[in-house]
């Protein structure tokens, strides 16, 4: 599961220039449109993870990541220049962009390693723990107040994760436990850094720099890991990674222009049933009853957390 590049209200605080159309203020459009765009974005993210699982199993890790970033950079830069012209490259926080790109690469690398051990549905459910993990970080690191009910929801999510990746379970091995947890930690740090920069950069600009810097970082390894896809299936997997990531993130950014985060957040969990369907269709995998119980626990905890956000903001 994935989240937008920056907090959704960031676009509203980026000054418009005469050559750049002012972005729509978040939450000022149709809530239904925002929800539909969110569900479609989750379908794209499922496409990304499906391609990553296939390509990551047959290509060297860094080669698979390079293919994703290369395609993602082409699509994202093309869309950004088309929408905003050369001004889309203007940034005032290059150090932030570099740090965010490094966390992005780390999260993606751990995700690909996780997908070598875990089926799509189980992996997606673990990634869905990110919003709840951010609550934990906000309390312990950022010293933000957290209500007792939120702690219950965090515990519910972690319990669901333990049930999915359980010692002695059908999918358990060292890598099946370590890599998803590392991915969860890296993705949480990535989202925390992004949220701290909300309103200081245009979201599309951040998307472009994250893609380009990630491409540069992985390009340095190509002399040792170069291996072009040898089959049409691998090329299709690479295309799925690039297209799924680019379109998914852009759709999510547009979704936040139409609806508020609290409206959208519960629908981010629609990626879990997409992953269940994709895993069954391509790999014949059906989660066992324990894994389903863990997914429900995570999804319910996340949805209740979104509802609590709405209640506390009133």
């Amino acid at each position: 599961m994935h989240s937008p590049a920056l907090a959704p209200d960031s676009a509203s605080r980026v000054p418009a220039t005469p050559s750049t159309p002012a972005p729509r203020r978040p939450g000022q459009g149709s809530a239904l449109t925002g929800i539909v765009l969110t569900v479609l974005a989750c379908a794209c993210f499922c496409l990304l993870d499906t391609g990553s699982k296939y390509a990551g199993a047959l290509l060297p890790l860094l080669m698979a990541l390079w293919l994703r970033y290369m395609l993602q950079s082409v699509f994202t830069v093309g869309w950004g220049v088309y929408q905003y012209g050369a001004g889309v490259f203007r940034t005032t926080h290059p150090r932030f962009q570099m740090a965010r790109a490094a966390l992005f690469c780390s999260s993606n690398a751990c995700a690909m390693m996780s997908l070598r051990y875990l089926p799509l549905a189980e992996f997606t459910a673990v990634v869905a723990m990110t919003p709840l993990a951010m609550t934990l970080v906000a309390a312990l690191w950022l010293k933000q107040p957290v209500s007792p009910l939120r702690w219950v929801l965090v515990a519910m999510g972690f319990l669901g994760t333990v049930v999915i990746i359980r010692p002695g379970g059908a999918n358990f091995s060292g890598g099946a436990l370590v890599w998803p947890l590392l991915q969860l930690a890296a993705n949480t740090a990535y989202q925390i850094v992004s949220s701290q920069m909300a309103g200081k950069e245009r979201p599309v600009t951040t998307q472009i720099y994250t893609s380009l810097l990630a491409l540069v970082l992985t390009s340095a390894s190509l002399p040792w890991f170069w291996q072009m896809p040898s089959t049409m299936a691998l090329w299709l997997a690479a295309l799925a990674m690039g297209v799924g990531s680019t379109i998914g993130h852009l759709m999510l950014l547009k979704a936040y222009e139409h609806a508020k985060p609290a409206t959208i957040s519960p629908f981010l969990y629609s990626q879990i049933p997409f992953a269940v369907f994709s895993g069954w269709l391509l790999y014949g995998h059906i989660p066992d009853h324990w894994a389903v119980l863990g997914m429900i626990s995570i999804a319910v905890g996340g949805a209740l957390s979104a509802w609590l956000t709405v209640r506390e903001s009133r």
Side-chain angles (χ1 to χ4, degrees):
M1 184 172 291
H2 302 258
S3 300
L6 290 175
D9 62 341
S10 59
S12 65
R13 295 194 290 265
V14 178
T17 64
S19 60
T20 303
R24 184 197 297 267
R25 292 184 62 82
Q28 297 300 308
S30 164
L32 179 60
T33 300
I35 291 170
V36 170
L37 287 171
T38 300
V39 174
L40 291 175
C42 288
C44 289
F45 293 144
C46 180
L47 180 66
L48 160 65
D49 290 340
T50 303
S52 298
K53 182 174 181 62
Y54 187 84
L58 299 176
L59 290 174
L61 175 65
L62 291 172
M63 184 68 211
L65 287 173
W66 182 85
L67 280 171
R68 170 186 170 175
Y69 299 146
M70 186 268 292
L71 291 169
Q72 182 175 327
S73 296
V74 169
F75 296 139
T76 306
V77 170
W79 187 87
V81 171
Y82 172 76
Q83 289 287 318
Y84 304 105
V88 77
F89 294 103
R90 193 175 299 117
T91 179
T92 56
H93 300 277
R95 292 183 179 179
F96 153 72
Q97 301 290 7
M98 293 181 66
R100 188 174 185 274
L103 287 171
F104 183 67
C105 284
S106 300
S107 176
N108 294 163
C110 291
M112 279 199 170
M113 290 301 297
S114 300
L115 285 166
R116 292 183 178 182
Y117 297 95
L118 286 177
L120 281 168
E122 284 83 344
F123 166 77
T124 301
V126 174
V127 176
M129 265 296 299
T130 299
L132 296 175
M134 289 176 67
T135 300
L136 185 65
V137 173
L140 300 182
W141 180 37
L142 302 179
K143 306 301 181 183
Q144 296 178 359
V146 176
S147 67
L149 179 55
R150 284 198 183 274
W151 282 119
V152 171
L153 298 178
V154 169
M156 181 186 300
F158 278 110
L159 180 61
T161 303
V162 171
V163 170
I164 292 172
I165 311 175
R166 57 194 182 278
N171 299 311
F172 178 80
S173 69
L177 175 63
V178 173
W179 290 112
L181 296 181
L182 287 176
Q183 195 278 336
L184 178 62
N187 193 38
T188 300
Y190 167 78
Q191 298 298 338
I192 290 290
V193 168
S194 297
S195 67
Q196 292 298 298
M197 287 298 297
K200 299 179 182 179
E201 291 280 22
R202 187 190 300 277
V204 176
T205 297
T206 296
Q207 285 286 81
I208 287 176
Y209 276 102
T210 297
S211 300
L212 290 176
L213 290 171
L215 179 64
V216 170
L217 288 173
T218 51
S219 293
S221 66
L222 288 185
W224 292 274
F225 296 100
W226 181 262
Q227 179 183 327
M228 290 296 287
S230 57
T231 65
M232 180 59 68
L234 268 177
W235 277 113
L236 290 175
L239 186 63
M241 290 190 292
V243 171
S245 180
T246 303
I247 297 180
H249 281 103
L250 292 179
M251 277 190 171
L252 205 52
L253 288 173
K254 295 299 290 183
Y256 281 117
E257 291 180 5
H258 287 276
K260 295 180 179 180
T263 302
I264 284 175
S265 294
F267 293 92
L268 291 172
Y269 294 89
S270 63
Q271 189 175 344
I272 294 179
F274 280 126
V276 172
F277 176 75
S278 181
W280 167 77
L281 183 66
L282 297 178
Y283 300 101
H285 172 75
I286 300 177
D288 62 24
H289 63 283
W290 286 110
V292 170
L293 180 63
M295 293 176 198
I296 292 174
S297 177
I298 292 172
V300 169
L304 287 176
S305 180
W307 170 80
L308 188 60
T309 299
V310 176
R311 180 182 174 185
E312 292 176 346
S313 64
R314 290 176 178 173

